[in-house]
Amino acid sequence: MKTVINIINQQLFHFPLIIRLALYETKSKYQMHFLGVLWQFINPLLQVAVYWFVFGVGIRNGIPVEGTPFFIWLLMGLVPWFFISPTIVQGSNSIYSKINLVSKMKFPVSILPSITIVSNIFGFLITVIILGIVMFIYRIPVSIYALQLPYYLVCLFLLLYSITLFTSTISALIRDFQLLIQTLMRLLFFMTPILWSIEEFPGRFHTLIELNPFAYIVNGFRESLLSGSWFYEDWRYTIYFWSFTLLILFVGSLLHENYKNKFVDYL
Amino acid sequence: MEKPIVKLTNVSKSYNLYKRKSDLLLEMFSYKQDKKTFSALKNISFEVYKGETIGVIGINGSGKSTLSNILAQVVPASAGEIVINGDPSLVAISAGLNNFVTGRENIELKCLMHGLKKEEIDEITPDIIEFADIGDFIDQPIKNYSSGMKSRLGFAISVHIQPDILVVDEALSVGDSTFYKKCLDKFEEFKSEGKTIFFISHSLPQVQAISDRILWLNFGEVQNFDQTETVVKEYKTFIDWFNGLTTEQKKEYRSQKLRGQIRKGNKHYPSGTRNLSRRKKKRREKNPMIQLSLLIALFLFSTLLMFVDNPVQAIQQGLENINNEEAPEKIEEASSSHAGYSGVETNYTAWINVEKTYLYNDVNFVNKLKELSFGSKVKVIEKMEQDSIFRVETGGVTGYLTNDHFVVLKEDEVASNLKLEDFIEIFPDRFAESYEFFFAFLGSDVNEMKESTNGITEEYDENGYKIYEFAYEDMAYIVNENGKVNAIEIENLDLKPSLIKDISNEVKIKSTDGNLYHLKLDDYIVDINTKSGLIQFKVE
């Protein structure tokens, strides 16, 4: 636990540094492209359009999900996913890609995954605002359940940090791991209830689907925005989610602490 | 006595030598120590005080760069104690520069990484560009720079971020004489500010010109550490001797020394420090392992919990089972309950009076058999030992229910005196105008209905039925699997108390919360949901 607290303290202590480096990263990411920051919009818009056309109009026949138009339903799943997926893929690579810069100075390596997360938050905020506008157009009322949105955001950030700390440490040591992560994320997109509703599966599969911690986040977003239920009502799922996150964070911290000074030796 | 700013005690650094990449993998997962290691530094000890300039000299492969990395705290030592009071900054050729972005962005990135604020960076950037003297190339990607430009930029950045200790590793060997002069001025400035400089080079004249003291490294060991003149004299003698050797002899000398650095097994450190530090480490490792297993246990437990439908009841039942095992005769009692034990046989008809309940396989209500919705008819067969539990049968399934989920009524008591006309008042206006037309299709074929009506706004499947929605008339048809229009559902009812009162008085089966009504007319079975304003007429 001491290592975990240590690493979290480092994040807090270096928070201004994280913000500054994240801003730098966002700025430089699109600098070489002619359309620049516009890609932040173009990419998700195209994907939403295709998924809505194929799964909403085509496969689902435009039938609403539990009374919500499919388009809104889809958007509520895709908005967090468009944040989760690139963050994990880039975050896993964060130590490896920066180690040459970092290896020649004294630098807290454990904040590298945080920088990736924060730099992706900017894009996430934009998509959340767009979601809000679309909800307004569709006249989806905002209920008191929206108050638990911050809770799910905290869950999301902590889960992402735990996973990226773990994966970035391993993939700096074993390069094959990065490829595995990319493949896994592509599969998880279809295994998470984003394009489909969990209710469409027979009851005995529900628990199996819910074991995926991202399902907790995506479901939580929909529960908050579509006035479903409070997070503590399904307390077993909440306990499961937190024990999963803590375990990954703990293992990640131990590994990271063990190898943080040896990355240079292993490359 | 002044406190040393840098103090190294018995510091060693060794690298493991791998033949294959897979050896590296194996090493990561095991604590085995019997492999080939190369000790780049062996038992280095020295002290350096504030404001000193220390030259580090030695021939190729003597461990100069390793020492510079250790001093800059980039690489950890394998053993020994290092105390550094201050912020070190390492200057090496093209160190830590990103090849694909421009020089200006590299300045920003490096400064950011050293924790400088935006304003501070803006302030020192012109100074850095001026010092590095690379002109218009500052806005070009680093990959287009010459090696001299790279090292000048790296040097310029490192000296401008105000380190307490500057470690210069061979960085000056690529600069020309004007740049060299500029660096010397900068070093003087540093010295006057009381900062410490480590100057690492194999060029004796450069080191001699700058340093106060010189550390001479030879194949990983400190050969001498003394005032400049003394060491320079000794080093010169050594170099002269070394250069006087024939190529063969040089080779022989080198390989002999290198062989001394490569060791197999665990015992390559004569000093006790390493063993001590290992023992300390072991003790520390124990604690996380316990915590880790606790977390894994918590995770597994919560996963298990996910698969149990009703944990509190399941635990209770588990406890009961344990109790039962202690008293075997009780099990017999429980298992024989099906064979006519204890129940009082009954024969009532009853109707479910809650919105939704389940028929259970057992009296402890753990295994669900079937979902029962409001208004379902059940046959009460047996009153169980526990007063509130009954065995009931519906649709060929027999199971258990508590008596607060159904109401017992005779078949003819359910029938009401109401007529269809009594409901017109609560129908929405538009539907009320043409209700007879729509009711005419109840019980007829779906195709007939489709041909004779228009205005279907949506059709979809729900629980095996096909639903045809007429959004403009506030109604929908429900068609069963045989293609017959089975029921009509009307929404947006006008449920003012004055209107619903007449109906409400006639209803015999109401849900416990008072929201749902179930009644029977001559031709229809009627379900009303007063909460959501829905009514459904179903033909039998």
Side-chain angles (χ1 to χ4, degrees):
Chain A
M1 270 306 127
K2 221 160 133 197
T3 22
V4 176
I5 292 165
N6 225 338
I7 281 193
I8 289 178
N9 272 339
Q10 264 177 32
Q11 312 302 312
L12 297 177
F13 180 76
H14 292 290
F15 193 66
L17 182 64
I18 293 174
I19 297 282
R20 286 198 291 265
L21 279 169
L23 275 170
Y24 175 85
E25 203 159 272
T26 334
K27 201 180 69 187
S28 58
K29 190 158 46 177
Y30 294 101
Q31 216 169 39
M32 287 194 277
H33 307 80
F34 290 111
L35 290 178
V37 188
L38 264 183
W39 283 108
Q40 288 267 27
F41 300 93
I42 298 171
N43 188 21
L45 275 182
L46 284 176
Q47 288 196 53
V48 169
V50 169
Y51 290 135
W52 173 69
F53 182 71
V54 174
F55 291 94
V57 181
I59 292 173
R60 277 194 76 93
N61 264 325
I63 296 165
V65 185
E66 291 161 23
T68 314
F70 181 74
F71 184 63
I72 296 278
W73 168 267
L74 177 73
L75 220 53
M76 281 173 184
L78 280 178
V79 162
W81 187 258
F82 282 158
F83 174 52
I84 292 170
S85 171
T87 303
I88 290 189
V89 173
Q90 293 163 21
S92 309
N93 211 14
S94 60
I95 292 183
Y96 179 79
S97 63
K98 289 270 161 37
I99 198 72
N100 282 328
L101 288 178
V102 171
S103 64
K104 291 294 177 191
M105 61 186 289
K106 209 179 151 193
F107 188 84
V109 185
S110 72
I111 70 167
L112 287 175
S114 301
I115 293 169
T116 314
I117 295 174
V118 175
S119 74
N120 279 322
I121 283 180
F122 302 123
F124 178 55
L125 280 180
I126 291 170
T127 49
V128 166
I129 291 170
I130 293 175
L131 174 65
I133 295 171
V134 175
M135 279 178 69
F136 181 75
I137 293 170
Y138 273 79
R139 307 214 175 278
I140 307 271
V142 175
S143 68
I144 186 140
Y145 291 100
L147 284 179
Q148 60 183 341
L149 215 52
Y151 163 77
Y152 281 112
L153 285 178
V154 169
C155 288
L156 176 58
F157 295 148
L158 205 74
L159 177 68
L160 282 180
Y161 183 70
S162 310
I163 291 178
T164 49
L165 181 71
F166 177 72
T167 55
S168 61
T169 305
I170 292 190
S171 73
L173 305 171
I174 307 169
R175 286 308 292 158
D176 310 41
F177 199 69
Q178 180 65 19
L179 296 176
L180 178 72
I181 290 287
Q182 284 174 11
T183 316
L184 266 183
M185 289 315 288
R186 226 168 283 145
L187 292 178
L188 270 177
F189 174 67
F190 293 99
M191 291 303 293
T192 310
I194 297 168
L195 299 169
W196 40 270
S197 157
I198 210 164
E199 302 299 331
E200 284 159 28
F201 276 81
R204 62 181 184 280
F205 290 118
H206 286 188
T207 312
L208 215 62
I209 293 167
E210 284 178 342
L211 289 184
N212 168 7
F214 298 118
Y216 183 77
I217 304 279
V218 171
N219 279 344
F221 260 68
R222 289 189 177 133
E223 300 279 308
S224 318
L225 293 172
L226 293 173
S227 52
S229 57
W230 296 103
F231 66 87
Y232 51 77
E233 281 173 32
D234 197 353
W235 55 272
R236 281 180 294 153
Y237 200 12
T238 299
I239 290 179
Y240 169 79
F241 173 83
W242 281 101
S243 61
F244 176 86
T245 309
L246 272 182
L247 181 67
I248 294 283
L249 181 64
F250 190 79
V251 175
S253 306
L254 278 189
L255 271 180
H256 185 86
E257 208 47 38
N258 214 351
Y259 286 103
K260 70 173 176 190
N261 293 322
K262 298 181 192 153
F263 288 129
V264 191
D265 295 356
Y266 279 107
L267 288 178
Chain B
M1 184 78 193
E2 201 190 345
K3 219 178 129 200
I5 192 159
V6 176
K7 187 179 179 192
L8 270 68
T9 323
N10 285 327
V11 170
S12 298
K13 173 74 191 173
S14 61
Y15 293 99
N16 294 323
L17 300 175
Y18 304 106
K19 283 205 183 93
R20 290 181 304 269
K21 192 122 182 148
S22 56
D23 287 348
L24 189 153
L25 252 177
L26 281 176
E27 199 255 357
M28 268 160 56
F29 293 110
S30 67
Y31 286 93
K32 269 199 302 187
Q33 292 286 321
D34 56 332
K35 63 210 158 241
K36 265 187 171 178
T37 57
F38 175 82
S39 42
L41 292 176
K42 237 188 285 172
N43 293 325
I44 306 281
S45 306
F46 61 83
E47 285 176 12
V48 171
Y49 300 92
K50 223 177 155 198
E52 275 191 306
T53 302
I54 306 295
V56 179
I57 203 159
I59 57 170
N60 281 341
S62 54
K64 298 188 300 290
S65 290
T66 308
L67 180 66
S68 77
N69 284 337
I70 284 180
L71 287 172
Q73 296 191 310
V74 171
V75 166
S78 315
E81 200 188 343
I82 304 166
V83 181
I84 292 176
N85 300 310
D87 252 345
S89 169
L90 176 70
V91 194
I93 300 172
S94 75
L97 295 176
N98 184 345
N99 258 331
F100 294 95
V101 298
T102 67
R104 197 182 291 277
E105 281 169 320
N106 262 300
I107 295 175
E108 194 186 340
L109 181 61
K110 276 237 60 164
C111 293
L112 279 174
M113 288 177 96
H114 275 281
L116 269 68
K117 291 200 183 66
K118 190 91 180 119
E119 308 87 66
E120 292 172 322
I121 295 170
D122 289 340
E123 206 183 297
I124 60 168
T125 303
D127 294 342
I128 295 176
I129 296 172
E130 208 274 322
F131 190 89
D133 194 21
I134 44 182
D136 292 338
F137 266 85
I138 194 70
D139 291 315
Q140 292 292 313
I142 295 280
K143 59 181 180 211
N144 296 345
Y145 282 29
S146 69
S147 56
M149 284 169 153
K150 270 188 212 172
S151 74
R152 290 207 303 272
L153 183 65
F155 185 81
I157 296 172
S158 300
V159 294
H160 279 88
I161 51 176
Q162 302 296 331
D164 301 314
I165 300 156
L166 190 65
V167 184
V168 186
D169 187 4
E170 309 269 13
L172 298 188
S173 39
V174 281
D176 59 11
S177 53
T178 33
F179 182 69
Y180 180 63
K181 179 78 185 35
K182 220 185 314 188
C183 293
L184 289 188
D185 293 346
K186 198 76 194 173
F187 286 155
E188 284 306 317
E189 196 187 311
F190 261 66
K191 258 188 184 172
S192 63
E193 286 169 17
K195 289 175 180 171
T196 309
I197 301 167
F198 283 93
F199 187 78
I200 292 149
S201 176
H202 47 241
S203 152
L204 190 62
Q206 280 185 8
V207 176
Q208 191 178 3
I210 295 169
S211 312
D212 299 326
R213 288 197 288 166
I214 294 184
L215 180 79
W216 173 17
L217 284 177
N218 201 19
F219 291 98
E221 283 169 285
V222 178
Q223 191 80 17
N224 202 346
F225 183 36
D226 211 331
Q227 295 302 317
T228 305
E229 299 80 42
T230 331
V231 181
V232 165
K233 213 190 268 168
E234 278 186 39
Y235 187 66
K236 260 192 185 143
T237 330
F238 168 75
I239 289 291
D240 286 344
W241 168 78
F242 188 66
N243 284 341
L245 297 175
T246 63
T247 324
E248 292 291 297
Q249 281 170 317
K250 270 186 200 169
K251 232 183 191 169
E252 172 64 21
Y253 177 75
R254 254 180 206 284
S255 54
Q256 182 202 334
K257 283 284 184 186
L258 281 174
R259 230 177 289 129
Q261 283 177 288
I262 296 174
R263 291 282 163 83
K264 261 190 157 180
N266 204 2
K267 298 183 285 278
H268 47 281
Y269 295 102
S271 75
T273 46
R274 187 180 167 83
N275 285 330
L276 201 94
S277 70
R278 272 190 68 79
R279 216 179 298 137
K280 233 193 274 169
K281 214 174 171 182
K282 272 236 169 94
R283 206 181 306 144
R284 263 211 333 261
E285 270 166 8
K286 233 179 183 171
N287 204 8
M289 281 306 142
I290 294 169
Q291 289 169 340
L292 182 66
S293 16
L294 274 176
L295 271 174
I296 291 174
L298 175 68
F299 173 71
L300 290 178
F301 177 69
S302 63
T303 312
L304 204 72
L305 214 57
M306 293 273 291
F307 283 97
V308 183
D309 261 333
N310 196 335
V312 180
Q313 273 186 11
I315 290 166
Q316 276 174 358
Q317 200 200 11
L319 288 176
E320 270 171 34
N321 281 346
I322 292 167
N323 290 339
N324 285 349
E325 268 162 42
E326 285 165 7
E329 61 272 42
K330 241 186 166 176
I331 294 175
E332 267 168 39
E333 275 180 19
S335 61
S336 64
S337 70
H338 256 294
Y341 170 81
S342 87
V344 179
E345 283 195 31
T346 58
N347 192 8
Y348 310 128
T349 44
W351 276 262
I352 302 297
N353 69 344
V354 288
E355 194 177 344
K356 197 168 105 178
T357 182
Y358 294 95
L359 201 59
Y360 287 91
N361 194 8
D362 51 317
V363 288
N364 295 314
F365 299 108
V366 176
N367 297 316
K368 290 172 183 169
L369 273 179
K370 190 180 174 182
E371 189 181 308
L372 298 173
S373 55
F374 173 73
S376 312
K377 192 164 101 178
V378 297
K379 221 165 120 190
V380 183
I381 308 172
E382 192 178 359
K383 183 174 185 286
M384 302 311 294
E385 187 181 16
Q386 301 90 332
D387 273 347
S388 59
I389 300 174
F390 288 82
R391 195 147 77 90
V392 304
E393 185 255 310
T394 176
V397 185
T398 311
Y400 297 92
L401 263 184
T402 53
N403 63 356
D404 51 354
H405 286 182
F406 60 82
V407 52
V408 177
L409 278 176
K410 287 215 186 76
E411 197 93 35
D412 51 347
E413 282 177 326
V414 184
S416 75
N417 301 321
L418 291 170
K419 297 269 172 297
L420 183 55
E421 289 74 36
D422 296 318
F423 291 91
I424 299 171
E425 281 191 304
I426 64 167
F427 287 157
D429 293 344
R430 203 194 282 259
F431 180 76
E433 281 168 23
S434 47
Y435 79 96
E436 282 171 305
F437 172 75
F438 286 113
F439 272 94
F441 292 105
L442 269 182
S444 64
D445 191 71
V446 63
N447 292 324
E448 196 190 329
M449 181 274 288
K450 272 164 115 175
E451 279 163 25
S452 316
T453 58
N454 50 28
I456 296 177
T457 48
E458 212 174 315
E459 48 177 287
Y460 54 92
D461 293 316
E462 200 177 277
N463 305 332
Y465 293 99
K466 229 172 159 64
I467 317 280
Y468 293 87
E469 233 182 79
F470 293 71
Y472 299 110
E473 326 287 345
D474 290 321
M475 62 151 285
Y477 283 122
I478 297 158
V479 176
N480 67 10
E481 60 267 52
N482 303 325
K484 287 267 182 286
V485 180
N486 184 257
I488 184 168
E489 194 172 272
I490 304 139
E491 55 178 11
N492 291 332
L493 296 181
D494 185 4
L495 294 175
K496 282 201 220 54
S498 56
L499 299 178
I500 192 75
K501 208 179 139 207
D502 294 338
I503 298 169
S504 178
N505 288 339
E506 284 287 325
V507 176
K508 300 293 190 306
I509 304 168
K510 291 183 187 173
S511 65
T512 40
D513 55 10
N515 287 331
L516 305 172
Y517 299 167
H518 182 79
L519 63 154
K520 229 174 121 187
L521 305 189
D522 288 345
D523 303 318
Y524 310 111
I525 297 167
V526 186
D527 275 293
I528 309 177
N529 186 337
T530 56
K531 203 172 161 209
S532 50
L534 278 174
I535 187 165
Q536 193 190 74
F537 293 86
K538 197 166 156 193
V539 285
E540 274 181 284

